[in-house]
Amino acid sequence: MPYGLRRRGDRGQVALEYLGFLPLLLLVALGAVQLGLIAYAAQQAGTAARTGARSASLDGDAQGDCARAVSSWLSVSCPPAFLGDEVQVTAEVRIPSVIPGIGNFGTARKTATMPVDHTGN
């Protein structure tokens, strides 16, 4: 067969192969995005724990300040625990899922401890 001539049965073969590979590419991309969300939730939990502990050490609204310290689309819980002259806050951020069929990736949990400010400032 001369160069440049195709058999009629081969038309569209590359497009069909690409369509067959597309779901795998999408799954890999969603997996990469999910790993990024897990890392972001862990970072946000650390920020929330430090903010909540600092607020509680100054007699502030630990839960409110903790919630304001993270992105508004994340769900966070961070109750303070007073341990003598220290306050400890453990922030738990629910990790959102972008992969269909998997609804729960658990929570990212970080803890921060700060000394209680007794000066009243």
Side-chain angles (χ1 to χ4, degrees):
M1 179 179 299
Y3 181 75
L5 294 178
R6 296 183 185 192
R7 292 184 7 221
R8 292 181 76 72
D10 289 343
R11 294 177 63 185
Q13 177 184 352
V14 173
L16 285 177
E17 287 175 358
Y18 180 73
L19 284 175
F21 195 61
L22 191 60
L24 182 61
L25 287 175
L26 288 174
L27 190 60
V28 168
L30 285 175
V33 170
Q34 186 64 54
L35 285 175
L37 276 175
I38 291 169
Y40 184 69
Q43 181 270 332
Q44 290 285 282
T47 299
R50 286 188 304 276
T51 302
R54 183 68 181 146
S55 178
S57 74
L58 296 172
D59 241 1
D61 176 20
Q63 178 63 40
D65 290 339
C66 177
R68 284 186 289 276
V70 301
S71 296
S72 61
W73 52 274
L74 290 174
S75 173
V76 63
S77 170
C78 43
F82 291 90
L83 310 167
D85 285 346
E86 294 180 335
V87 63
Q88 186 176 56
V89 173
T90 300
E92 292 187 2
V93 174
R94 192 180 73 70
I95 301 170
S97 174
V98 295
I99 300 176
I102 301 177
N104 187 5
F105 273 91
T107 58
R109 185 177 296 121
K110 299 286 182 171
T111 300
T113 304
M114 297 254 178
V116 174
D117 185 12
H118 293 293
T119 61
N121 291 335

